[in-house]
C-alpha cells in the first residue's frame, strides 16, 4: 500500500534530492512553451548564456508538437509586445518630463497664491516668479531630461527586429538548432479529438490535473493545451527506450499543475497524481522544475557557466508568468513586481528606504513578499489581477519549534510583540526587526501580530 501511494506521502521535491542528477544526465527534458518564449525577454548576453547552458543537455531535449505549435502561435505576439513596450518607453518618458515641468509651475503658482493670501507679501511672490521662472524650470530639467532620454535611446539596442517569415530571427534559428530533429510529429486528428473530449468531459469537471484551470477559456480545443501536451508526453515516454526519467520545466505553477500547501507541507508540490500517472502509463519517473531551479541544476551537474545577473533575468522573466503562489523557496528567487512593492509598503505605512537597509538579498526578497501578502490578507489594499498568494509568514504560534533556525518570540521587543511566550520567529524577520527604527519595528511587529490573529492555522488559545 505504501509503495503504491508513495507519491502522496512524499515531501515536496528538493534541489538536494539524491536522484535529481539523473534527470540531467540520463533522461528526457521537455521545455514548456513559456520557457522558449522567455528567451525573447532576456538581454543578448543572458540569452546566449542560457542557450549555451541548454547545449549541455541538448541530447536529452525533446519538443512536443503542442509546445512547438503554441510557440509559433505566440512568438510574434511576444516580439511585437516587446517592441511596442520599448517604443512606448520614450513616449512615456517625454510625457513624464512634461508632467514634471507642469507640476513645478503649479507648485510655484500655489506658493505665490499662499504668500499673497496669508502673508500679503506680493514682493516675495514676484521674487518667486523670477527665481523659478519657466526658463529656470526648463533649464533645470534639461540636463536630467537629456540623461534620461539618452538611456531610453539605448533601449533600441535590445529590440528584436524580425521579418514575418522569421528568417531574420536569430533566437528562432538557435532554438531550431538546439532541438534539431528531436521534435514530435503532429498527432492524428482523431487522437486529438478524443483527448479534447476526455479533458472537457471527464478530467476538467473532476479537477484532475493538468490543465483544469483553463477550462472554459475559449473553445474546448484551445483550453485543452496543457492536457494535450501531457498526453503527448506520456505517449512519447511510453514508446522511448532506456528513458525512464522525465524532467518537465515550466513557469506555470498554477493549481492545475501544483497542489497547494497544506497537510504538513509548507509549500506547494507537483500534483502526486501526475507522478503516479506518468509511472503507471509510461514507466517513467517525473520531476517538475521552474526555470531558475532548472538552470541552476545544469550549472551544478554539468558545470555550465551562468552569471548571477543572468539568474536574476531568468527569475524576472518568470515573474512575468505570475506564479499562482509564492513560498519561501520561490520568494528568494522571484523579485516581486515594483508596483506591488510600492502599493504594499504604502499600505503598511513603511518608507521604501527601509528596503535598502536589508543587506541580505534573500532576506530582502522574503520581506517584500511577506509585506505584499500580509497587506493583501489583512485587506489593507486591493488585490490586483493575477496577484500570487503568499504562503509563508514570519512568525507562528506553536509548541514545537518549526525549524532549527527559528527563534523564540522572546527575541522580539517587550511590549511590542504580544506572543513572546507562545511564538516562533523566522530568522530573517528577527534580523530585520532588530535592525529597524522604533517606528518601523512597531509597524512590522503589529502587521505580523495581526496576521497571526487573522490566520486560523496559527491561532492558539491565549
Amino acid at each position: 500500500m505504501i509503495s503504491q501511494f508513495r507519491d502522496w506521502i512524499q515531501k515536496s521535491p528538493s534541489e538536494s534530492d539524491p536522484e535529481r542528477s539523473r534527470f540531467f544526465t540520463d533522461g528526457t527534458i521537455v521545455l514548456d512553451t513559456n520557457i522558449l518564449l522567455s528567451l525573447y525577454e532576456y538581454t543578448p548576453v543572458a540569452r546566449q548564456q542560457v542557450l549555451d547552458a541548454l547545449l549541455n543537455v541538448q541530447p536529452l531535449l525533446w519538443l512536443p508538437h503542442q509546445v512547438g505549435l503554441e510557440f509559433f502561435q505566440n512568438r510574434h505576439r511576444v516580439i511585437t509586445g516587446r517592441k511596442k513596450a520599448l517604443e512606448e518607453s520614450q513616449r512615456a518618458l517625454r510625457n513624464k518630463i512634461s508632467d514634471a515641468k507642469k507640476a513645478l509651475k503649479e507648485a510655484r503658482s500655489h506658493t505665490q497664491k499662499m504668500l499673497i493670501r496669508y502673508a500679503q507679501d506680493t514682493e516675495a511672490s514676484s521674487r518667486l516668479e523670477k527665481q523659478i521662472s519657466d526658463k529656470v524650470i526648463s533649464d533645470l530639467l534639461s540636463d536630467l531630461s537629456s540623461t534620461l532620454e539618452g538611456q531610453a535611446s539605448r533601449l533600441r539596442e535590445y529590440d528584436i527586429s524580425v521579418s514575418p517569415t522569421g528568417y531574420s530571427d536569430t533566437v528562432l534559428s538557435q532554438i531550431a538548432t538546439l532541438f534539431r530533429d528531436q521534435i514530435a510529429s503532429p498527432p492524428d486528428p482523431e487522437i486529438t479529438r478524443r483527448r479534447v473530449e476526455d479533458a472537457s468531459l471527464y478530467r476538467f469537471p473532476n479537477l484532475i490535473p493538468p490543465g483544469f484551470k483553463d477550462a472554459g477559456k475559449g473553445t474546448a480545443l484551445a483550453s485543452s493545451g496543457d492536457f494535450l501536451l501531457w498526453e503527448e508526453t506520456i505517449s512519447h515516454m511510453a514508446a522511448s527506450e532506456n528513458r525512464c526519467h522525465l524532467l518537465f520545466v515550466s513557469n506555470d505553477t498554477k493549481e492545475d499543475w501544483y497542489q497547494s500547501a497544506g497537510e504538513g507541507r509548507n509549500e506547494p508540490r507537483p500534483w502526486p497524481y501526475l507522478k503516479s500517472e506518468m509511472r503507471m502509463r509510461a514507466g517513467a519517473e517525473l520531476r517538475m522544475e521552474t526555470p531558475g531551479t532548472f538552470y541552476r541544476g545544469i550549472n551544478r551537474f554539468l558545470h555550465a557557466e551562468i552569471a548571477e545577473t543572468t539568474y536574476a533575468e531568468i527569475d524576472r522573466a518568470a515573474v512575468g508568468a505570475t506564479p499562482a503562489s509564492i513560498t519561501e523557496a520561490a520568494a528568494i528567487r522571484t523579485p516581486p513586481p515594483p508596483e506591488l512593492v510600492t502599493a504594499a509598503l504604502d499600505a503598511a505605512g513603511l518608507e521604501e528606504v527601509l528596503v535598502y537597509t536589508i543587506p541580505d538579498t534573500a532576506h530582502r526578497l522574503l520581506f517584500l513578499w511577506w509585506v505584499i501578502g500580509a497587506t493583501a490578507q489583512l485587506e489593507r489594499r486591493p488585490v490586483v489581477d493575477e496577484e500570487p498568494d503568499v504562503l509563508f509568514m514570519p512568525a507562528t504560534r506553536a509548541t514545537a519549534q518549526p525549524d532549527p533556525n527559528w527563534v523564540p518570540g522572546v527575541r522580539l521587543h517587550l511590549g511590542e510583540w504580544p506572543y513572546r511566550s507562545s511564538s516562533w520567529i523566522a530568522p530573517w524577520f528577527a534580523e530585520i526587526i532588530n535592525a529597524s527604527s522604533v517606528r518601523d519595528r512597531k509597524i512590522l511587529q503589529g502587521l505580523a501580530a495581526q496576521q497571526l490573529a487573522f490566520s486560523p492555522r496559527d491561532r492558539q488559545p491565549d
Side-chain angles (χ1 to χ4, degrees):
M1 183 181 72
I2 292 176
S3 175
Q4 180 174 336
F5 294 99
R6 61 187 179 276
D7 297 317
W8 293 89
I9 59 176
Q10 288 177 347
K11 295 180 179 179
S12 301
S14 166
E15 294 183 37
S16 59
D17 288 343
E19 289 290 309
R20 186 181 177 219
S21 63
R22 296 195 61 182
F23 290 88
F24 288 84
T25 58
D26 185 30
T28 296
I29 298 177
V30 171
L31 306 180
D32 200 0
T33 310
N34 49 57
I35 303 300
L36 301 182
L37 291 175
S38 291
L39 291 168
Y40 289 103
E41 301 292 336
Y42 305 148
T43 58
V45 172
R47 182 186 305 117
Q48 195 57 54
Q49 286 190 5
V50 168
L51 287 166
D52 289 344
L54 287 172
L55 287 174
N56 287 270
V57 294
Q58 191 278 330
L60 308 182
L61 293 175
W62 177 70
L63 182 73
H65 175 76
Q66 183 66 26
V67 169
L69 179 64
E70 292 177 357
F71 171 73
F72 279 95
Q73 287 175 335
N74 291 282
R75 165 185 155 273
H76 194 260
R77 174 185 56 79
V78 173
I79 294 170
T80 54
R82 178 188 178 95
K83 183 179 181 65
K84 182 179 180 181
L86 291 173
E87 290 173 347
E88 289 184 349
S89 67
Q90 291 184 299
R91 188 182 305 112
L93 174 60
R94 288 192 293 269
N95 290 338
K96 289 183 181 299
I97 291 172
S98 177
D99 291 343
K101 290 180 180 179
K102 181 181 179 181
L104 284 172
K105 292 176 183 179
E106 290 176 349
R108 178 194 65 199
S109 177
H110 173 74
T111 304
Q112 288 178 293
K113 290 177 181 178
M114 299 298 283
L115 283 169
I116 293 173
R117 180 175 180 179
Y118 292 104
Q120 302 296 312
D121 195 340
T122 56
E123 182 180 345
S125 175
S126 298
R127 191 163 57 246
L128 196 62
E129 180 79 30
K130 296 178 181 179
Q131 291 173 331
I132 310 179
S133 65
D134 289 0
K135 183 179 184 304
V136 169
I137 291 174
S138 295
D139 291 344
L140 177 66
L141 293 177
S142 178
D143 289 342
L144 297 176
S145 300
S146 297
T147 300
L148 290 170
E149 289 175 356
Q151 293 299 322
S153 296
R154 283 187 60 242
L155 292 173
R156 295 174 184 169
E157 303 172 14
Y158 299 99
D159 189 12
I160 300 176
S161 299
V162 299
S163 66
T165 58
Y167 288 114
S168 64
D169 184 352
T170 57
V171 178
L172 176 59
S173 62
Q174 290 181 88
I175 292 174
T177 301
L178 193 65
F179 284 98
R180 300 176 187 173
D181 61 350
Q182 296 158 208
I183 61 175
S185 300
D188 182 275
E190 180 59 24
I191 292 176
T192 299
R193 185 187 67 78
R194 289 200 303 267
R195 288 172 176 172
V196 170
E197 288 183 353
D198 186 21
S200 58
L201 298 179
Y202 172 64
R203 294 185 66 124
F204 290 179
N206 290 290
L207 304 183
I208 301 174
F212 59 77
K213 293 290 285 186
D214 295 327
K217 295 181 179 179
T219 66
L221 177 62
S223 63
S224 300
D226 284 355
F227 180 65
L228 292 175
L229 164 60
W230 176 247
E231 284 293 300
E232 191 180 351
T233 303
I234 285 181
S235 296
H236 173 75
M237 294 302 296
S240 298
E241 296 181 2
N242 302 320
R243 291 292 173 87
C244 56
H245 290 81
L246 172 67
L247 178 55
F248 179 65
V249 187
S250 177
N251 278 332
D252 192 346
T253 56
K254 298 196 304 296
E255 293 175 7
D256 51 359
W257 284 102
Y258 282 74
Q259 183 186 21
S260 301
E263 299 177 359
R265 288 175 286 101
N266 295 323
E267 58 185 77
R269 65 177 177 183
W271 272 102
Y273 188 95
L274 298 174
K275 297 184 66 175
S276 298
E277 186 175 21
M278 180 62 69
R279 187 184 304 113
M280 177 180 64
R281 295 177 57 191
E285 294 297 323
L286 170 68
R287 183 177 180 88
M288 295 167 55
E289 295 195 354
T290 53
T293 304
F294 169 64
Y295 290 119
R296 287 177 175 88
I298 296 179
N299 192 340
R300 174 183 176 186
F301 299 117
L302 302 172
H303 310 293
E305 295 184 5
I306 301 179
E308 285 300 320
T309 52
T310 296
Y311 285 127
E313 285 197 44
I314 292 168
D315 293 337
R316 278 196 296 272
V319 171
T322 314
S325 56
I326 296 291
T327 63
E328 282 199 44
I332 62 176
R333 60 174 184 264
T334 309
E339 60 275 13
L340 261 186
V341 170
T342 300
L345 292 175
D346 287 346
L350 296 166
E351 299 292 337
E352 194 166 346
V353 68
L354 171 63
V355 179
Y356 301 105
T357 65
I358 306 172
D360 186 281
T361 301
H363 290 182
R364 185 163 60 249
L365 290 172
L366 286 166
F367 166 75
L368 290 174
W369 275 118
W370 166 66
V371 174
I372 289 170
T375 52
Q377 182 185 22
L378 298 173
E379 299 181 348
R380 298 279 192 93
R381 59 176 180 83
V383 177
V384 303
D385 290 342
E386 297 186 354
E387 178 179 331
D389 292 328
V390 179
L391 302 180
F392 66 91
M393 294 169 60
T396 183
R397 299 185 68 190
T399 304
Q401 187 177 18
D403 183 274
N405 294 319
W406 283 49
V407 298
V410 292
R411 293 285 186 89
L412 299 188
H413 293 262
L414 182 64
E416 297 176 1
W417 181 246
Y419 308 117
R420 281 168 53 86
S421 62
S422 61
S423 65
W424 296 93
I425 312 299
W428 60 268
F429 188 65
E431 177 184 296
I432 293 170
I433 286 294
N434 291 323
S436 297
S437 66
V438 173
R439 174 186 176 277
D440 289 342
R441 193 177 70 220
K442 289 181 177 179
I443 290 175
L444 295 175
Q445 290 182 152
L447 195 64
Q450 288 179 46
Q451 192 180 26
L452 272 185
F454 182 86
S455 301
R457 66 184 180 190
D458 285 296
R459 275 193 203 133
Q460 301 286 339
D462 292 318

